[in-house]
Amino acid sequence: MENRRVYIVLLVWLLVQVTEASPRTDIVARICGKKHAKNSKVYIKNFSKVTRMIRDDIRDNGYATASTGHPPNQLHLMAQCFYDLSTDDCLLCFDRCLALLPGCFPKVSGRIYLDGCFMRVDNYTFYNETLLSSDKTVCGAVDMDTAPDFISITQRVIRNVASEAPSNDGFAGGGYDGSPLCSSYAYANCWNTLDEESCKSCLRNASDSILNCLPSTEGRVANAGCFLRYSNYRFFNDPQYCTITAATAVICVITVLIGLCMGKIVYKVVHRHKSLKEVDIESSMLTKSSTFKYSTLEKASDNFSEANKLGFGAYGDVFKGTLADGREIAIKRLHISHKHQMKEIQNEMKIITGVQHKNLARFLGCCLTTQLSLLIYEFAPNKSLDYLLFDPERKKELDWPKRLNIIIGTAEGLEYLHTNDGVTIVHRDIKASNILLDLRYRPKIADFGLAKFCCGDGINACPLIEGTLGYMAPEYLAHGRLTEKVDVYSYGVLVLEIVSGARNGSFQADDPLHTLVTSTWNHYQSNTVWEIVDESLKGEENIKEQVQKVVQVGLLCTQESPALRPTMTKVTCMLKGLELDIPTPSKPPFVYEFSHVVTVSPDSPHQLSNNSLSHCNPPPPPPLPPPS
Ligand SMILES: *[C@@H]1O[C@H](CO)[C@@H](O)[C@H](O)[C@H]1NC(C)=O
Ligand SMILES: *[C@@H]1O[C@H](CO)[C@@H](O)[C@H](O)[C@H]1NC(C)=O
Ligand SMILES: *[C@@H]1O[C@H](CO)[C@@H](O)[C@H](O)[C@H]1NC(C)=O
Ligand SMILES: CC(=O)N[C@H]1CO[C@H](CO)[C@@H](O)[C@@H]1O
């Protein structure tokens, strides 16, 4: 049964990973160092700050370096997108690195190579390094049908790009357009911090290493100073034949080789800042009701104006829109192209459309173009929970009955995602900003929208870490282990935030290891939970006991061992029966000390089985009437 469960995950990258080109966010390699940081708190905190500082540079220049702190906790960071990526794809790729690189913590050094960008962090200045012994060569599969000449052609193509790149600002892409079984393409990119000589020696090593991949149809080399890839399909963006711009007289080399296959060898130089062309795709691809025309959305959002911008996320911006009939909608604009995936996306949209619950933001439909995906959701007039909860003035709107309702509603929405029709949908990014509030402050979980099946039988298991630091379960952060208990953990963090009105936000706090979760646990143990309760709730009558129990539920959800965390069904059951006894939680994890994570002593006294939870069938009536 467990095996047949299907996980739908909120993974935009999975949608795009099979597409021909942009954005290239597949993981090529993640290489973590061996040394532990002297002071991992400072280190992690600085990492988060520095990455926020360089985002603008990445947008403007496609690369950035930054350093901060003092030895031995000094931190150096470098990030670079490959030249053929558009600015939007570059940011997308950058954000994905940001989500993945912290997987190396608490080690001081880490490198992440995606198919479109690179990021490295270390505690010394590594910017001019070209080769390290930990560099990786990643080879693809061998296709038996490949033409015999594929090898010799590929060798030439690789040699071409590797020798051309150093004198061409560090990058070059090219290939041979032959028959389908006899085409070969390669792309080389050195980091901007290298001079021409270093670039040359890095790529010389890379092209030697990559040849060992042949006759595989794919090869990639992730060196300390450069990246090289070949493939039997054209994987880089929109190659421009002989692009010559005024600013950079890009030399276009056309190398004609005598090939044995049909076709001609063309050497191409690709260039950056490809313009984004938005093209409407036949709307018959989706059912009429869920398809919106691009022009309609453009009009509804006043041309995606700044004034209508509601927020932004890793994958794109969110806009408010008003349809001609007066309906208000939220438009999520994702930068994804998916020429070859219309069918798949169509199927997924159907599933998402089928997922309906009072506590899930309603998905109304989408609009797919070759460059963009626009997802349309119902509009939430009271914005998102973080907007109210973490503002000293606005949080006063949220009295205890409202907060309890949000806590219960969110639990119900999650329970539905986890159990609906025997299909488990793991949301994996439960956090305050993903809880939208309607006019009556009823919670609507957002962003379960772009889902992809990850089959339990191992096809496409989802090993990659996505989510928000501070809300991520330790076993997920450390080992990428994804079950619905990952959501339960994030939900527990959210509950504690709602009660305390404070962010778990490890990075904002002065002492990141002293998170809201650990401090709540300490107060719980010394019987002083009331001290962490939001000041603006303290005037309310007779809520102490309820608050205490809700905190206890939050702590049960954030227990270190996923097995001890209750299911969302048990959580809603406990919350609706607050007058009953609630089991005693065990210790939460110290999130960043996950080297010794998830070991619960077998004699742990707090097993969740056969305790008061069995009272919960059928659940007793809710203790409070919903606010009207
Ligand atoms: C880098 O970190 C390691 C391990 O914590 C430490 O031994 C070393 O001194 C640090 N190097 C610098 C340059 O700070
Ligand atoms: C890299 O730069 C450092 C100083 O910034 C220098 O000492 C070192 O020799 C350089 N290494 C290479 C390979 O150029
Ligand atoms: C590339 O450089 C690495 C690190 O110095 C080395 O281990 C490897 O043997 C080199 N590869 C080739 C093909 O020269
Ligand atoms: C950017 C930033 O916050 N840097 C901090 C890194 O940590 C050191 C302490 O070791 C601070 O002094 C820096 O300000």
Side-chain angles (χ1 to χ4, degrees), residues 14 16 29 38 83 189 239 272 309 379-380 409 417 464 526 602:
L14 269 177
V16 301
K38 279 263 182 322
Y83 272 89
N189 212 137
R272 199 169 152 69
K309 202 159 174 176
F379 178 69
L417 281 178
L464 298 165
S526 46

Side-chain angles (χ1 to χ4, degrees), residues 203-387:
L203 285 175
R204 207 178 297 130
N205 175 291
S207 52
D208 286 345
S209 305
I210 211 168
L211 292 180
N212 294 326
C213 282
L214 286 167
S216 294
T217 52
E218 278 279 352
R220 296 172 174 89
V221 171
N223 274 353
C226 61
F227 177 82
L228 178 64
R229 175 181 177 188
Y230 78 83
S231 178
N232 61 350
Y233 76 101
R234 186 187 294 162
F235 56 89
F236 43 80
N237 274 328
D238 190 28
Q240 305 283 309
Y241 286 78
C242 308
T243 303
I244 299 177
T245 63
T248 51
V250 178
I251 305 159
C252 175
V253 183
I254 303 177
T255 314
V256 181
L257 292 169
I258 306 148
L260 293 169
C261 301
M262 47 186 283
K264 57 191 189 306
I265 295 250
V266 186
Y267 184 77
K268 298 154 196 154
V269 177
V270 294
H271 80 143
R272 199 169 152 69
H273 299 308
K274 162 174 88 88
S275 70
L276 271 176
K277 202 164 160 233
E278 288 155 21
V279 188
D280 273 318
I281 274 177
E282 268 309 303
S283 48
S284 61
M285 296 299 287
L286 281 151
T287 53
K288 272 240 152 24
S289 61
S290 62
T291 307
F292 289 73
K293 271 204 157 131
Y294 185 75
S295 53
T296 309
L297 299 173
E298 212 172 25
K299 210 157 140 199
S301 63
D302 193 14
N303 224 344
F304 299 103
S305 69
E306 274 303 308
N308 278 322
K309 202 159 174 176
L310 294 171
F312 57 89
Y315 298 109
D317 299 330
V318 185
F319 296 87
K320 182 184 171 175
T322 311
L323 296 174
D325 63 8
R327 254 192 308 163
E328 292 185 317
I329 53 173
I331 307 168
K332 188 154 204 167
R333 193 173 62 172
L334 306 166
H335 301 289
I336 304 173
S337 111
H338 36 57
K339 269 178 245 152
H340 310 299
Q341 282 200 294
M342 295 303 286
K343 265 267 170 316
E344 256 177 70
I345 291 181
Q346 190 180 346
N347 283 339
E348 285 179 27
M349 295 293 168
K350 266 191 208 141
I351 291 157
I352 300 166
T353 316
V355 173
Q356 289 195 13
H357 184 270
K358 66 183 170 61
N359 295 116
L360 298 177
R362 221 166 104 74
F363 177 72
L364 300 175
C366 64
C367 163
L368 307 173
T369 77
T370 58
Q371 299 291 340
L372 290 164
S373 290
L374 299 140
L375 307 180
I376 294 93
Y377 294 89
E378 71 177 328
F379 178 69
N382 271 316
K383 304 206 175 166
S384 55
L385 179 57
D386 64 327
Y387 179 77

Side-chain angles (χ1 to χ4, degrees), residues 576-597:
K576 287 175 170 177
L578 278 183
E579 67 275 15
L580 298 174
D581 281 348
I582 297 208
T584 313
S586 66
K587 153 178 140 18
F590 291 87
V591 182
Y592 295 114
E593 293 172 348
F594 46 71
S595 42
H596 56 82
V597 97

Side-chain angles (χ1 to χ4, degrees), residues 42 46 49 68-70:
V42 173
N46 266 347
K49 283 194 182 160
T68 188
H70 313 285

Side-chain angles (χ1 to χ4, degrees), residues 602-616:
D603 55 348
S604 170
H606 313 305
Q607 298 298 326
L608 264 179
S609 50
N610 60 35
N611 53 27
S612 59
L613 285 178
S614 49
H615 293 301
C616 287

Side-chain angles (χ1 to χ4, degrees), residues 423-615:
V423 169
T424 299
I425 300 173
V426 181
H427 183 293
R428 84 154 74 183
D429 201 13
I430 291 293
K431 58 180 171 183
S433 57
N434 274 338
I435 308 299
L436 308 181
L437 300 173
D438 75 359
L439 258 185
R440 292 164 61 193
Y441 298 91
R442 282 173 305 200
K444 309 267 178 185
I445 301 174
D447 253 9
F448 57 94
L450 262 187
K452 173 86 189 176
F453 283 111
C454 283
C455 300
D457 4 351
I459 313 163
N460 255 341
C462 295
L464 298 165
I465 313 264
E466 298 271 328
T468 304
L469 285 167
Y471 290 92
M472 275 195 269
E475 76 278 7
Y476 183 48
L477 194 53
H479 311 294
R481 203 171 293 141
L482 181 68
T483 67
E484 64 269 34
K485 294 297 179 71
V486 165
D487 282 349
V488 175
Y489 183 90
S490 314
Y491 172 79
V493 173
L494 182 72
V495 166
L496 301 181
E497 288 185 335
I498 294 175
V499 172
S500 65
R503 281 183 201 272
N504 191 39
S506 332
F507 293 146
Q508 280 80 17
D510 285 343
D511 182 355
L513 283 186
H514 198 67
T515 59
L516 177 61
V517 176
T518 54
S519 92
T520 307
W521 167 249
N522 293 337
H523 279 290
Y524 172 78
Q525 284 200 304
S526 46
N527 227 338
T528 53
V529 163
W530 190 246
E531 282 178 31
I532 59 125
V533 171
D534 197 338
E535 286 303 323
S536 69
L537 291 179
K538 288 192 172 163
E540 294 185 50
E541 296 287 312
N542 300 331
I543 63 169
K544 267 194 185 177
E545 202 179 323
Q546 277 192 350
V547 167
Q548 167 84 21
K549 288 190 169 175
V550 167
V551 166
Q552 213 165 316
V553 172
L555 287 173
L556 282 171
C557 293
T558 51
Q559 288 176 109
E560 190 168 36
S561 157
L564 291 185
R565 287 174 220 148
T567 62
M568 287 314 298
T569 307
K570 281 182 177 169
V571 169
T572 50
C573 174
M574 286 188 269
L575 289 170
K576 287 175 170 177
L578 278 183
E579 67 275 15
L580 298 174
D581 281 348
I582 297 208
T584 313
S586 66
K587 153 178 140 18
F590 291 87
V591 182
Y592 295 114
E593 293 172 348
F594 46 71
S595 42
H596 56 82
V597 97
V598 211
T599 38
V600 168
S601 53
D603 55 348
S604 170
H606 313 305
Q607 298 298 326
L608 264 179
S609 50
N610 60 35
N611 53 27
S612 59
L613 285 178
S614 49
H615 293 301

